[in-house]
Amino acid sequence: MRSPPAPDSSPGDPLLLSQQVRELQAELLAAREQLQRQAQQLTQAERTSLMAARHQLVAEAAHAAQWEWDLRSNRVSLTQRWGEIVGEAPRSRDWPLAELQARVHPEDLPLLMETARAAISGEARRYLVEHRVAKRQGGWAWI
């Protein structure tokens, strides 16, 4: 912020002009730094968006069913592909975890939950487990 001129200085006073120039230079520097931070944030957002788009293309090409577990609400977001695999469209995008667990084959549930626990706690670097899920028409789909 520029300071107001001293009461005893005139608009053409070299000291006043010099002070105003320094203040303007400081404002310009601050504006450039802010612009640079915003440009970096935009670049990162663009990279993230590109990575998400690529991930989506890979998942579609692989016919993968994607899901996301909200640990706070214990709800799982499912993609349409999940519904195709088990033979029914999800009635909503978010499902209670308990409902999905009820569909897992009883022999597979302990390993599924232990693998999830290890991934969440950081004991495991990734989550990878195959398990059976009940299909609507009967039988099991391997996930």
Side-chain angles (χ1 to χ4, degrees):
M1 263 309 156
R2 281 177 243 129
S3 51
D8 59 343
S9 62
S10 66
D13 181 10
L15 291 175
L16 175 62
L17 290 174
S18 177
Q19 176 64 30
Q20 289 175 338
V21 166
R22 283 192 301 276
E23 290 171 357
L24 287 171
Q25 287 173 332
E27 287 180 28
L28 180 59
L29 179 61
R32 283 183 178 157
E33 289 171 352
Q34 181 180 7
L35 182 60
Q36 186 176 16
R37 283 190 304 274
Q38 289 174 337
Q40 289 171 346
Q41 290 171 346
L42 180 59
T43 299
Q44 184 60 39
E46 289 170 343
R47 283 186 192 135
T48 301
S49 178
L50 180 60
M51 288 173 53
R54 286 180 181 162
H55 178 78
Q56 184 64 34
L57 288 174
V58 168
E60 288 173 9
H63 299 287
Q66 296 178 333
W67 56 272
E68 184 176 325
W69 180 4
D70 182 339
L71 297 173
R72 286 173 278 156
S73 68
N74 242 2
R75 296 186 69 80
V76 181
S77 296
L78 304 170
T79 61
Q80 181 178 342
R81 178 68 182 129
W82 188 89
E84 294 168 4
I85 291 171
V86 297
E88 70 177 277
R91 61 185 177 281
S92 73
R93 184 171 162 81
D94 294 327
W95 286 56
L97 179 63
E99 248 182 84
L100 294 174
Q101 287 174 322
R103 298 184 73 137
V104 174
H105 193 284
E107 294 174 7
D108 300 338
L109 188 58
L111 177 61
L112 175 75
M113 296 311 295
E114 173 55 26
T115 305
R117 186 207 57 75
I120 292 166
S121 71
E123 291 175 36
R125 291 185 58 193
R126 65 183 183 153
Y127 172 84
L128 179 62
V129 65
E130 289 184 280
H131 60 281
R132 293 164 283 185
V133 174
K135 294 171 72 171
R136 182 173 187 187
Q137 311 85 341
W140 301 95
W142 279 96
I143 305 289

